Amino acid sequence: MPDIAGTTRVLFFTGKGGVGKTSLSCATGLALADAGRRVLIVSTDPASNLDEVLGTPLGQRPTAITGADGLFALNIDPEAAARDYRERMVGPYRGILPPAAIASMEEQFSGACTVEIAAFDEFAKLLGDPAATADFDHVIFDTAPTGHTLRLLTLPSAWGDFIASSTGGASCLGPLAGLEKQKALYAATVAQLADAAITTIVLVARPEASALREAERTRGELAELGVRNLRLALNGMFSVEAGRGEDPVALAMDRRGRAALAAMPTGLAALPRDETGLLPGGTVGLDSLRDLKRPVVAESRMDATEAIAATPLPDGLAPLLAQLAAAGRGIIMTMGKGGVGKTTVAAAVAVALARSGRPVTLSTTDPAAHISETVEDKVAGLTISRIDPEREVALYRDEVLAKAGAGLDPAGRAMLEEDLRSPCTEEIAVFRAFARAVDAGRDGFVVLDTAPTGHTILLLDAAQAYHREVLRTQADMPDSVRDLLPRLRDPDFTRILIVTLAEATPVHEAERLQRDLGRAGITPFAWVINQSLLASGTADPLLARRGRCEAPFILRVATELSRRTALIPWQAEAPVGSDGLRRLMERP
């Protein structure tokens, strides 16, 4: 974990989903509190699990953590923040404007854009207003997975550029109405981020090629924002020590980790570095967090077959694929917490369906996805695509200007162009592309690798708000958007695979996702438990002990949470390329 000596007042932990940002941010905060500091940990992740890791229910105000004097935490709840923001904007006009006008204002503040602005507004208060955190020696931000984090960090510039170029005033822009008043606060937020004496950005990664690539991309994009006060935190480090045998899984994990570190990009390798070893158990609870500072002591060698015998393992992906293929067409979506392997599972399903002779499109709505790097080689019948936000925004702007702007006078067209420069436009444009991808499932299989849980739910929730937004901008409602929700709710057309790991936080978060989908009238088709060390058959003392910890989570998913469950063992060879993806279909 990062060394707390000389720690700046503000710390940001960011990186690819699933690399351990929450664990390291909480462990660092706990270490600072144990050293006598007053510390506030803040989550900006829509799918935050701070409550679970710290063992204390949290809200939107600093809450003292039980068992850790001086440690406090809070969640920036995007939905709650949106409700508060909406009421601040609309409340002063209640009783003054007619009910119809109030209803219209509430509609303008009901979309996903409002959620993002409101969450950023709360974030900016904590970072840009010194008085908001004056009671604390340190403020630690446990940020969302990389795509969301970069969007959050670039918002100060985006909003600032938009306000600076606004000629007609922001009052006509619904959720953006209050931004002009916040210019000073947002400027202070940007200054805090770039001040090396105040803020450190901790790039969290595992010794894996994809995580290191993501960290390097983040490093480069932050540098473009003028943020260069960075550290690298390598989590989950593992090596085979002398005398620990020749276990093939352990040797493969050691080899892959060394290869990934040897190929680390130069800019990333030059950063100050902290390393945390792979733990045999999870990092839920204060005792586990304190263990991050202690050297791992492996138990005596044990045969993993004992744990396997006591835990009936679900089948692999092959039986599930046969059921998916029987439909002959439709949408298959992978969902789950960041870092659980949604992209890999989506690619494996798509390649297997294509190899069976069916036309398949593999696409993603995740801004941090690496589908082409996962598949690598060409597969007959498989088309790979990505929903590119920049391209979709350009297409959407051109369409709205051509249709809604054609009959406007110069002043009206200028106001419409001003509206379309808002960062909110991206949310609408990407949503339209998502709807088009779902529509393509009428003619064949479309496998969608979706973004991490919070972003995915916001995307699905946008269906209702989208209709109101297109009416406001006077754009047409495509049939693909009109038909989207009925298709997502149709179990004969859409099959959702919830991907998880056999660990506490991923399973609990996947369970929340399933409840959220249920409220939207969507029932998951199956759960996929990925990267199971228990199913790998490892006999390495540390890895086998970690595998034993998976057993209760595998049983709970298979017997309580899912009608269908597939289990994928940890792979000695990385599941890259069509051959590597095919191995995922093998029975555990």
Side-chain angles (χ1 to χ4, degrees):
M1 58 173 282
D3 187 353
I4 65 171
T7 300
T8 54
R9 182 173 185 271
V10 178
L11 289 168
F12 267 89
F13 286 78
T14 189
K16 181 179 171 64
V19 293
K21 297 183 296 294
T22 298
S23 297
L24 292 185
S25 61
C26 289
T28 301
L30 181 59
L32 288 167
D34 287 346
R37 319 277 179 83
R38 284 179 60 84
V39 183
L40 175 64
I41 303 175
V42 180
S43 175
T44 63
D45 192 337
S48 171
N49 62 315
L50 274 186
D51 311 54
E52 184 173 27
V53 173
L54 294 173
T56 301
L58 303 176
Q60 292 195 88
R61 298 289 179 267
T63 300
I65 302 303
T66 305
D69 291 343
L71 184 62
F72 297 77
L74 66 85
N75 285 318
I76 294 179
D77 181 339
E79 295 294 340
R83 288 194 297 271
D84 293 343
Y85 184 88
R86 184 163 51 243
E87 187 56 31
R88 288 203 306 273
M89 294 296 106
V90 178
Y93 299 98
R94 296 188 191 280
I96 298 175
L97 296 179
I102 295 297
S104 176
M105 291 177 67
E106 289 177 334
E107 284 184 351
Q108 289 192 34
F109 286 99
S110 64
C113 180
T114 300
V115 175
E116 186 165 32
I117 293 172
F120 173 72
D121 203 47
E122 296 298 314
F123 160 81
K125 290 175 187 174
L126 291 169
L127 187 60
D129 181 4
T133 58
D135 292 338
F136 300 99
D137 300 310
H138 298 277
V139 182
I140 297 175
F141 289 90
D142 167 34
T143 60
T146 305
H148 179 82
T149 297
L150 289 176
R151 184 168 171 78
L152 190 66
L153 292 177
T154 56
L155 275 172
S157 299
W159 297 136
D161 292 345
F162 176 76
I163 293 169
S165 64
S166 173
T167 58
S171 61
C172 61
L173 300 173
L176 301 175
L179 294 182
E180 176 66 30
K181 300 176 183 178
Q182 302 287 70
K183 285 180 66 174
L185 178 62
Y186 296 163
T189 301
V190 175
Q192 288 265 41
L193 284 171
D195 190 339
I198 298 174
T199 303
T200 301
I201 310 293
V202 182
L203 303 178
V204 184
R206 288 185 178 274
E208 301 167 358
S210 61
L212 292 169
R213 279 196 303 268
E214 192 66 33
E216 169 61 14
R217 187 177 72 87
T218 304
R219 185 199 65 79
E221 295 192 13
L222 288 173
E224 291 179 2
L225 294 171
V227 180
R228 296 181 175 83
N229 40 320
L230 310 175
R231 292 187 70 87
L232 175 63
L234 290 173
N235 189 30
M237 298 290 287
F238 176 81
S239 62
V240 177
E241 301 171 1
R244 275 175 53 182
E246 298 295 321
D247 179 73
V249 174
L251 291 172
M253 187 177 291
D254 185 317
R255 182 175 63 252
R256 282 165 57 177
R258 291 179 189 275
L261 294 176
M264 187 189 306
T266 304
L268 201 62
L271 295 178
R273 184 187 308 181
D274 305 292
E275 297 184 358
T276 303
L278 181 70
L279 293 181
T283 53
V284 174
L286 301 187
D287 290 340
S288 296
L289 292 172
R290 290 187 173 103
D291 284 343
L292 284 173
K293 298 184 295 182
R294 304 173 185 135
V296 175
V297 179
E299 294 180 342
S300 59
R301 182 181 178 85
M302 77 159 232
D303 192 340
T305 55
E306 295 179 15
I308 293 176
T311 307
L313 299 182
D315 288 330
L317 274 178
L320 195 62
L321 180 75
Q323 297 177 61
L324 294 170
R329 65 167 193 159
I331 299 298
I332 300 168
M333 299 174 67
T334 56
M335 291 187 176
K337 178 179 170 63
V340 296
K342 297 184 299 297
T343 299
T344 300
V345 172
V349 168
V351 167
L353 287 171
R355 283 181 175 272
S356 69
R358 295 167 173 84
V360 181
T361 297
L362 173 62
S363 187
T364 183
T365 62
D366 189 343
H370 303 283
I371 283 184
S372 59
E373 297 165 3
T374 302
V375 178
E376 279 192 341
D377 44 357
K378 291 184 178 180
V379 178
L382 177 62
T383 302
I384 298 176
S385 65
R386 185 175 79 88
I387 296 175
D388 181 350
E390 290 186 9
R391 178 177 179 276
E392 297 302 331
V393 166
L395 290 173
Y396 178 69
R397 284 174 175 164
D398 290 346
E399 179 184 334
V400 172
L401 287 172
K403 294 180 178 179
L408 297 177
D409 59 22
R413 187 176 177 86
M415 184 169 291
L416 179 60
E417 290 175 343
E418 180 180 88
D419 197 341
L420 291 172
R421 285 199 300 272
S422 158
C424 304
T425 299
E426 180 178 320
E427 199 74 42
I428 302 165
V430 170
F431 183 78
R432 284 161 53 97
F434 171 76
R436 287 200 306 272
V438 171
D439 185 60
R442 295 178 301 164
D443 303 318
F445 282 108
V446 176
V447 181
L448 286 171
D449 164 38
T450 61
T453 306
H455 177 77
T456 299
I457 294 301
L458 289 176
L459 194 62
L460 294 177
D461 282 348
Q464 300 293 345
Y466 178 86
H467 179 67
R468 291 188 291 269
E469 183 65 20
V470 294
L471 290 178
R472 189 175 70 83
T473 59
Q474 303 175 47
D476 291 336
M477 169 78 78
D479 289 340
S480 60
V481 174
R482 186 177 294 106
D483 297 335
L484 178 60
L485 273 182
R487 285 174 174 161
L488 292 179
R489 289 169 174 158
D490 181 356
D492 294 326
F493 186 83
T494 299
R495 293 167 178 82
I496 291 175
L497 307 180
I498 293 183
V499 184
T500 189
L501 304 178
E503 300 172 7
T505 298
V507 168
H508 295 163
E509 188 162 317
E511 188 177 3
R512 288 196 295 270
L513 168 61
Q514 182 161 265
R515 288 198 299 267
D516 290 339
L517 290 171
R519 284 195 291 272
I522 300 170
T523 302
F525 181 77
W527 284 47
V528 178
I529 304 172
N530 196 22
Q531 301 176 28
S532 170
L533 282 169
L534 179 60
S536 74
T538 180
D540 178 82
L542 190 152
L543 298 184
R545 182 179 167 195
R546 191 174 175 94
R548 287 208 313 274
C549 295
E550 296 177 357
F553 301 106
I554 293 173
L555 286 172
R556 183 154 189 269
V557 169
T559 61
E560 299 179 30
L561 299 177
S562 178
R563 295 178 299 168
R564 304 176 184 88
T565 305
L567 182 69
I568 301 176
W570 191 91
Q571 302 290 304
E573 297 297 327
V576 174
S578 57
D579 289 338
L581 293 170
R582 188 173 61 245
R583 287 194 297 271
L584 297 183
M585 294 291 163
E586 298 173 358
R587 181 181 174 88

